[in-house]
Amino acid sequence: MGPRCSLLSLALAAALSVAVAYDPLDPNGNITIKWDIMSWTPDGYVAVVTINNFQMYRQIMAPGWTVGWTWAKKEVIWSMVGAQATEQGDCSRFKGNIPHSCKRTPAVVDLLPGVPYNQQIANCCRGGVISAYGQDPGSAVAAFQVSVGQAGTTNRTVKVPKNFTLLGPGPGYTCGPAKIVPSTVFLTPDRRRKTQALMTWNVTCTYSQHMASKYPSCCVSFSSFYNDTIVPCAKCACGCEHKTCVQGDSKRPLTVTGKHEHAHGAAGVRVHRDMEAPLLQCTTHMCPVRVHWHVKLNYKEYWRAKIAITNFNYRMNYTQWTLVAQHPNLDNITEVFSFDYKPVVAYGSINDTAMFYGLKYFNDHLMQAGPYGNVQSEVLMRKDASTFTFRQGWAFPRKVYFNGDECQMPPPDAYPYLPNAAMPAPAASLGAAAVAVVAFLVLVVV
């Protein structure tokens, strides 16, 4: 009974962790959708809806967010500012003034940049893109205004919507029920007067990578100066079933099934034309993104690692990308050469996680697959004499996340190992050690 109980407990714990979408490196990360009723109308209300991204390293990229819900009664949307419903629905019962949307389950999207000013409000119109809170708190918010009709006109008669959904831009988010909370308080521009919403409710949405995709979206490879072995991403790390890819510089797409590759465009074969689906460069791992960690140099008091991120997707530019790595020596970073860096401190004094992201206007865009589809930097860390070692893969990260999704790591037994003859002495490079060994052998022979 003992082993069976243990296995059952582990399975239950795993299921619960997926259900609540818990991220141990960002335990408080979520997206909160807040509705503030600002005024009453003859048949409803005007509300400002604010989407706050409280996730430290997960943003919403283009084509952006989509928020949906189900009306509690027979409400309609008379008008919107800063966003639009994707469908108008059946408004045939209305004469003269036609609502913006009569759908009982509307889906709302952001407006694109450059819309007329009379269609904008603060924090709108970015094409649905929302930054990660840890990267850019000022851009980690979106908002729109909605005028709701055929609804309640007092706090007692208003019925909050239900069944909220969030796409960011794909699946993965689960939203809880709307909860009425104390009304939001606002400061006037001169900061001398406070006003408050007439009624406020919040909806909390959390992300689960397991719900978003069956497979990871990135993988990790390793190499080091002290071993010639390059540990590649695992084969089919991101799944190989029926993925479309391009081999080398060829423009002819192939479908990878896990065992074989089939060319598209032949007689009787349907060519894949879905521009939203990834078009990957054909690789053994079939991941859109690969992160490579190279242990580069060893100094007396410091050591240096090189990080390279490569995009294998011909249909995706990663704007404002983020990379998170967990390693015990990341609490003592001396310098990051080509990326921006912030520590991710999830548990008080434990500072073993770092978030890296591109320098604005320099490398904050990871371009599509090709000659410019990579970014790289080096990290210089000060050694802690009590813990530092190159043995047993210590110099490689424990976890790696790209854009908030955990990457597939190589198996531990494949990590570059420290040769038995090598000692973790403070050498500037392996070349110097090799020259010393050769000289010693020559002396012995002579």
Side-chain angles (χ1 to χ4, degrees), residues 200-359:
T200 300
W201 60 81
N202 284 347
V203 178
T204 301
C205 304
T206 53
Y207 180 83
S208 169
Q209 185 175 343
H210 300 281
M211 292 182 63
S213 176
K214 180 180 177 181
Y215 297 104
S217 58
C218 53
C219 64
V220 182
S221 57
F222 292 147
S223 62
S224 67
F225 72 86
Y226 55 77
N227 193 310
D228 293 335
T229 302
I230 297 177
V231 180
C233 289
K235 185 177 181 181
C236 295
C238 298
C240 289
E241 288 78 7
H242 304 290
K243 284 192 174 180
T244 302
C245 68
V246 174
Q247 198 159 21
D249 296 328
S250 171
K251 299 300 181 182
R252 191 180 188 189
L254 304 173
T255 295
V256 181
T257 62
K259 294 182 180 179
H260 306 284
E261 294 177 346
H262 306 282
H264 283 209
V269 178
R270 182 182 175 188
V271 178
H272 195 292
R273 298 186 184 277
D274 183 8
M275 293 306 293
E276 295 298 326
L279 179 61
L280 303 181
Q281 180 179 327
C282 293
T283 59
T284 57
H285 52 77
M286 288 302 294
C287 289
V289 172
R290 182 191 66 199
V291 179
H292 186 75
W293 180 285
H294 174 66
V295 180
K296 186 175 181 180
L297 288 172
N298 180 31
Y299 304 103
K300 182 177 181 180
E301 296 182 354
Y302 302 89
W303 66 288
R304 184 190 293 242
K306 182 176 182 179
I307 304 171
I309 310 170
T310 304
N311 184 4
F312 293 97
N313 189 349
Y314 287 99
R315 290 178 179 163
M316 176 67 75
N317 294 330
Y318 293 94
T319 304
Q320 294 185 326
W321 56 267
T322 62
L323 178 75
V324 172
Q326 186 180 38
H327 187 281
N329 214 161
L330 289 175
D331 64 345
N332 211 349
I333 291 180
T334 301
E335 188 172 359
V336 179
F337 292 91
S338 302
F339 293 165
D340 261 333
Y341 149 78
K342 285 183 180 178
V344 178
V345 184
Y347 302 99
S349 61
I350 302 176
N351 180 18
D352 63 351
T353 306
M355 178 177 70
F356 304 96
Y357 51 97
L359 301 172

Side-chain angles (χ1 to χ4, degrees), residues 118-174:
N118 62 353
Q119 298 179 28
Q120 299 183 29
I121 67 168
N123 296 316
C124 85
C125 313
R126 300 181 185 137
V129 174
I130 303 179
S131 299
Y133 187 81
Q135 183 179 10
D136 186 359
S139 299
V141 59
F144 60 88
Q145 179 181 293
V146 57
S147 178
V148 182
Q150 296 191 355
T153 56
T154 68
N155 291 39
R156 293 184 177 181
T157 57
V158 165
K159 299 295 183 183
V160 299
K162 55 187 179 181
N163 300 332
F164 277 86
T165 60
L166 173 65
L167 298 177
Y173 285 95
T174 301

Side-chain angles (χ1 to χ4, degrees), residues 435-446:
V435 170
V437 171
V438 171
F440 174 77
L441 291 175
V442 170
L443 288 173
V444 170
V445 172
V446 173

Side-chain angles (χ1 to χ4, degrees), residues 394-425:
W394 184 91
F396 298 100
R398 283 35 171 179
K399 287 186 177 182
V400 173
Y401 291 69
F402 179 78
N403 275 3
D405 283 343
E406 187 172 354
C407 301
Q408 179 71 44
M409 303 287 285
D413 59 353
Y415 285 27
Y417 61 88
L418 191 67
N420 292 333
M423 297 296 291

